[in-house]
Amino acid sequence: MATSRESELVAAVLGPLIQSVGRGEGAELADIQPELRRVWQELARIPGGAEAVRRAAAAPEDGLVQAEAAVVVTELLRSNGELGDALAAFRPAGGSAAARKRRFGAGAVMAAVLALASLAAGLSVYLGDQPAVLTFAQAKAALPDLGALPAGWRTAAEAEVGPPLRECVTGESPDICEHVRSVATVAFTSRDGVVVVFMLITMEDRTWGEKAYRRSEAAAKAATGANKQMVPVPAMGDASVAVGDSSSMDIGVEVGTEFLSITSDIGNSGGSWDKSTMLSLARMFVARVQQAEQGRTPDASVR
């Protein structure tokens, strides 16, 4: 939960950053204070950090986007003790909070940020009580790359991230889909030709993350029959389930606000899916998502 000083500092840092970035390429950060320039440099090192501020500058009326930027800055200040100490006595140019609100435009940006940062209960939706909701960039970074996979694997489909597809909203689970923030996917081919797809669905909060998992779990159990059976798997994340048949295996895991799945399909490869390999991939994927939720750069791998 944010302290009063922490909330004030987040607002004091984020407001000028948003205004400066909003000037556009070439003009952004032109006259920014040295302390804020350092914050920007540190944000640029965090997956999705600088992008979150740019999105806030481009959408000043979107409270959720403003909240996302505030969360990123809060997490940075909490995780970087040296930076936090350096900013302990920081005061932005422009005087009081009221003066800053007048200076930074019609108040839409700073009012939203100040309101969010000053309400600890508001921030606890994203921090402390619940894991952070991943940005598009963080979700994409959580997807494994070739360096995280066994040697000899190849990319079958490049990593993509975006809002849920229209088919999701009009499909069988519109209540779930309405609360999806993003969907990230990537696919690889193993050395023996088995295709493995990684999918990460970011929900708006932990409650909907659990609901998405429960819906998937129910669907997996309903799909079992003569060929497809439940596959016992050890506990992963907050909850996990798996189902498989002779040609494929699907693992679903709930991790905080995220629901992730790993699916293998032998197709016409002549290969076969291996449970131990799939579990190793799932544990790696879970670890990367958890790293992203903690604001760290995902680097978990199976190697």
Side-chain angles (χ1 to χ4, degrees):
M1 188 169 288
T3 66
S4 175
R5 172 56 186 154
E6 182 181 65
S7 300
E8 292 175 0
L9 184 56
V10 170
V13 167
L14 188 55
L17 280 178
I18 288 175
Q19 188 199 39
S20 183
V21 170
R23 298 190 185 108
E25 293 295 332
E28 66 180 43
L29 307 183
D31 59 353
I32 204 165
Q33 292 170 267
E35 298 94 332
L36 296 179
R37 188 177 297 278
R38 183 179 175 188
V39 172
W40 179 255
Q41 291 169 344
E42 294 298 327
L43 284 171
R45 296 188 176 98
I46 300 173
E51 290 83 354
V53 177
R54 287 195 173 101
R55 282 195 297 274
E61 304 297 334
D62 190 326
L64 191 57
V65 172
Q66 302 299 316
E68 188 175 82
V71 168
V72 170
V73 172
T74 301
E75 285 295 277
L76 171 63
L77 298 180
R78 287 181 174 180
S79 63
N80 190 325
E82 183 182 351
L83 179 61
D85 292 342
L87 292 171
F90 173 72
R91 292 294 184 275
S96 67
R100 289 196 302 273
K101 284 177 68 176
R102 290 193 297 270
R103 181 184 174 194
F104 296 126
V109 173
M110 282 303 291
V113 174
L114 286 169
L116 176 73
S118 65
L119 294 175
L123 275 175
S124 71
V125 173
Y126 297 89
L127 304 172
D129 295 344
Q130 301 204 45
V133 177
L134 300 184
T135 65
F136 277 22
Q138 288 174 319
K140 188 173 183 179
L143 295 172
D145 53 23
L146 286 174
L149 300 171
W153 283 45
R154 307 183 308 277
T155 300
E158 297 291 343
E160 294 184 356
V161 62
L165 299 175
R166 182 178 182 278
E167 288 78 0
C168 175
V169 178
T170 58
E172 296 180 357
S173 304
D175 56 328
I176 297 292
C177 294
E178 288 173 0
H179 300 275
V180 173
R181 289 285 304 280
S182 68
V183 178
T185 60
V186 67
F188 301 94
T189 304
S190 70
R191 283 178 294 182
D192 57 357
V194 177
V195 175
V196 179
V197 179
F198 296 83
M199 180 171 65
L200 173 60
I201 300 177
T202 295
M203 307 301 294
E204 67 182 30
D205 57 31
R206 183 187 290 277
T207 297
W208 284 103
E210 180 180 0
K211 288 183 178 181
Y213 169 79
R214 295 302 176 194
R215 184 67 57 86
S216 177
E217 180 184 47
K221 292 179 178 179
T224 58
N227 297 319
K228 194 176 290 288
Q229 300 293 328
M230 301 299 296
V231 179
V233 293
M236 292 180 284
D238 297 313
S240 51
V241 64
V243 63
D245 57 23
S246 60
S247 64
S248 66
M249 179 179 182
D250 304 311
I251 300 176
V253 186
E254 175 195 350
V255 183
T257 59
E258 276 66 50
F259 169 73
L260 56 91
S261 72
I262 307 95
T263 302
S264 68
D265 191 346
I266 66 174
N268 298 318
S269 67
S272 61
W273 60 265
D274 176 72
K275 180 179 177 180
S276 62
T277 298
M278 288 293 289
L279 289 178
S280 178
L281 293 173
R283 283 191 287 265
M284 174 269 293
F285 195 14
V286 168
R288 292 179 69 91
V289 171
Q290 291 172 331
Q291 289 174 324
E293 288 185 338
Q294 294 164 4
R296 298 160 55 194
T297 299
D299 60 3
S301 95
V302 299
R303 298 191 181 186

